[in-house]
Every structure is written in C-alpha cells, then in structure tokens.
Amino acid sequence: QVQLAESGGGSVQAGGSLRLSCAASGSTYSSVCMGWFRQAPGQEREAVAVIHRDGSASYGDSVKGRFTISQDTAENTVYLQMNSLKPEDTAMYYCAAHSGWGCDLDSDDYKYWGQGTQVTVSS
C-alpha cells in the first residue's frame, strides 16, 4: 500500500503561481512513477504531469510550458510547480502512484490516489 498526501493548493489570480507537494509513504518502492491529475466539476479527469523515478517526465498538452513536475526521491515527495495559471486550471488536483512499471498519462494505470487539493484561479 502507498499513502499519498497532497498539499499546497489554494486560490490565486490569473497569471500567478502555486506549488503543490505530494508526500508518499508506505510501500513506495512498489511504484516507479508518480503523477498529478486534475478534475473540474462536470469534467473528466485530466492528466497534468507524471514523472518516473529516473527523472523522465511527461505533461498534458494544456500545461506544457507552464507547469513543471519534479521529485525528491530521498523524501518520497513529488512537486508540481504551476506558473502562468489560468482560470481553466481551476480543479481538484490529485497525486497518484502508478500500479506497474510504466509511466504514462492514463489515469487508469494509477492504483493509489491522494485525497486531492483544490486549486482555484480567478480572472
């Protein structure tokens, strides 16, 4: 089992920045990939960014060039630096750990999920 705890959400004006953190505990060795996903009310869950333990990362098209995912493997923590935020970035952001050895943007492949942290961007 892997437990995930997100923090860092909040409210910000358009153009601002936020940094999310996700601390993993438990059997963290069982997952080589962690990611961030988001879901706005009435919309499907969307992949934001994922990062492999080797440091390679992938991003959803809507956040490329604005968001950066990083990790501290010693602390089992993943970060999401969000810059140039837009109102359409408003959503609940979830941290997730992959169920296998891959590292893709398909949320169905992620077995462990945090409770989520709300990000609200006002215009």
Side-chain angles (χ1 to χ4, degrees):
Q1 291 286 332
V2 177
Q3 293 79 44
L4 303 171
E6 304 98 333
S7 61
S11 297
V12 66
Q13 289 193 331
S17 299
L18 283 173
R19 188 193 196 204
L20 306 183
S21 299
C22 173
S25 59
S27 304
T28 56
Y29 60 85
S30 65
S31 180
V32 299
C33 176
M34 292 180 64
W36 289 97
F37 297 81
R38 67 186 183 186
Q39 188 167 21
Q43 297 187 21
E44 293 186 356
R45 186 172 293 175
E46 176 187 16
V48 178
V50 300
I51 187 165
H52 192 279
R53 191 171 292 170
D54 66 9
S56 58
S58 299
Y59 294 89
D61 289 341
S62 62
V63 306
K64 285 180 180 177
R66 299 188 297 123
F67 291 10
T68 303
I69 190 170
S70 62
Q71 63 186 349
D72 183 335
T73 54
E75 296 294 328
N76 292 317
T77 301
V78 175
Y79 304 96
L80 184 69
Q81 179 65 43
M82 305 185 294
N83 298 328
S84 302
L85 283 161
K86 304 175 182 180
E88 50 263 45
D89 293 318
T90 296
M92 185 71 78
Y93 283 69
Y94 297 92
C95 178
H98 201 281
S99 60
W101 295 102
C103 198
D104 54 81
L105 293 170
D106 186 347
S107 61
D108 289 339
D109 292 333
Y110 289 75
K111 181 177 181 179
Y112 304 104
W113 293 83
Q115 294 297 309
T117 185
Q118 179 68 37
V119 171
T120 302
V121 184
S122 58
S123 57

